[in-house]
Amino acid sequence: AQSVTQLDSQVPVFEEAPVELRCNYSSSVSVYLFWYVQYPNQGLQLLLKYLSGSTLVKGINGFEAEFNKSQTSFHLRKPSVHISDTAEYFCAVFFFNTGKLIFGQGTTLQVKP
Amino acid sequence: KAGVTQTPRYLIKTRGQQVTLSCSPISGHRSVSWYQQTPGQGLQFLFEYFSETQRNKGNFPGRFSGRQFSNSRSEMNVSTLELGDSALYLCASRPGSQETQYFGPGTRLLVL
C-alpha cells in the first residue's frame, strides 16, 4: 500500500536554530514530492516541490528539501527558523500509478523565543 | 490570477441534514480535488474531477458525492450528516493531471 510517513508529530525548536522535518514514503514507483505548510485556520500553501532534476530543491521562506530515491525520503530543512515559521507542515507524495496525492500526518513545528 | 475559492467558509449543520460545498478553481485549471481534514485522520482524499468527470475516488461512503460543471467549478455534497463528518474540507485545483495542486482556504463544517 502506498503511504507517507512523517516521523515526528511535533518538533519544538528555539528561534534561529536549524530544523529538519522528516518524510518517508513507501513506494518505489515514480513520484512527485511536495511540502505544504498550514497556518491556523487556513488552507495549505505550497512550500516546495520535486518533480525531476536536481535532488535538492529550494522553496519559499528559506526552506529546502532533498530527495533521496534510495531511501525514499524527502526531508525538509531550514538553517535558521523564525517565530513566524510556527505552523503545521505536510509532506505529500503524488504516485503516478494511482494518480493520487497522499499526505503524511503532518508535523507541528513549534518555534520558541 | 485569483486563487482557489471555497464557499461557505464556515457551516453548522445537525445530524441527518445534507450539505453542499462549493469550490471555484484557479482560472484555466480543469482538475479539482477534494480532501477531508480531521485531527484524527489527517488529510484524506475524497475525489477528483477533471473536465466534468470523476477521475479518481478515495475510500469514503456513498454519502459523499461531487460534481463538476463546464466552467470547472465543483460542488461536494454530503447527505445524512454524521457527527464524524465534522472537518475542514479542502478543495485543490491544478491545470491537468500531474501538475502541482493549489489549495483553497477550506470550508469548516461542524455537525451537531
Side-chain angles (χ1 to χ4, degrees):
Chain A
Q2 296 169 338
S3 64
V4 180
T5 302
Q6 291 183 241
L7 297 160
D8 306 294
S9 59
Q10 292 188 350
V11 173
V13 63
F14 286 106
E15 195 173 18
E16 298 183 9
V19 71
E20 179 180 78
L21 306 184
R22 296 178 292 170
C23 173
N24 287 84
Y25 61 96
S26 62
S27 176
S28 60
V29 302
S30 294
V31 296
Y32 286 158
L33 301 160
F34 305 88
W35 276 97
Y36 287 89
V37 60
Q38 186 177 37
Y39 299 101
N41 300 314
Q42 294 187 26
L44 300 177
Q45 179 183 359
L46 180 69
L47 267 180
L48 48 78
K49 60 185 177 183
Y50 172 80
L51 304 183
S52 65
S54 172
T55 56
L56 181 64
V57 292
K58 294 188 183 299
I60 62 171
N61 301 340
F63 284 93
E64 63 180 31
E66 187 157 19
F67 169 48
N68 187 317
K69 188 174 182 180
S70 62
Q71 297 186 0
T72 59
S73 68
F74 191 54
H75 300 333
L76 180 71
R77 293 190 284 262
K78 186 170 183 178
S80 175
V81 296
H82 302 287
I83 296 287
S84 59
D85 293 324
T86 296
E88 189 152 19
Y89 292 79
F90 291 93
C91 176
V93 180
F94 178 86
F95 293 94
F96 274 57
N97 58 342
T98 60
K100 291 182 180 178
L101 185 68
I102 306 296
F103 284 85
Q105 284 294 98
T107 297
T108 301
L109 176 62
Q110 302 163 322
V111 182
K112 304 176 181 181
Chain B
K1 280 185 180 178
V4 179
T5 58
Q6 292 186 244
T7 56
R9 293 292 313 278
Y10 303 93
L11 206 49
I12 300 176
K13 292 285 187 179
T14 56
R15 278 183 301 173
Q17 287 187 311
Q18 75 161 8
V19 67
T20 299
L21 311 181
S22 181
C23 172
S24 292
I26 292 171
S27 177
H29 287 193
R30 296 167 63 191
S31 165
V32 173
S33 297
W34 288 90
Y35 295 84
Q36 181 196 64
Q37 185 179 21
T38 59
Q41 299 298 318
L43 274 154
Q44 293 187 288
F45 170 72
L46 279 155
F47 28 66
E48 179 188 12
Y49 286 86
F50 182 83
S51 295
E52 302 179 65
T53 302
Q54 188 179 86
R55 182 161 64 178
N56 225 328
K57 190 175 185 309
N59 298 322
F60 278 81
R63 300 186 297 108
F64 291 82
S65 62
R67 58 178 175 168
Q68 186 180 33
F69 302 95
S70 58
N71 61 358
S72 294
R73 189 178 70 86
S74 177
E75 286 183 348
M76 190 191 97
N77 185 275
V78 188
S79 62
T80 319
L81 283 166
E82 300 176 359
L83 295 179
D85 297 332
S86 294
L88 180 68
Y89 290 88
L90 292 164
C91 164
S93 76
R94 54 183 170 173
S97 61
Q98 296 176 357
E99 298 87 346
T100 306
Q101 293 194 16
Y102 295 90
F103 284 80
T107 294
R108 188 165 294 281
L109 172 65
L110 178 61
V111 181
L112 302 176

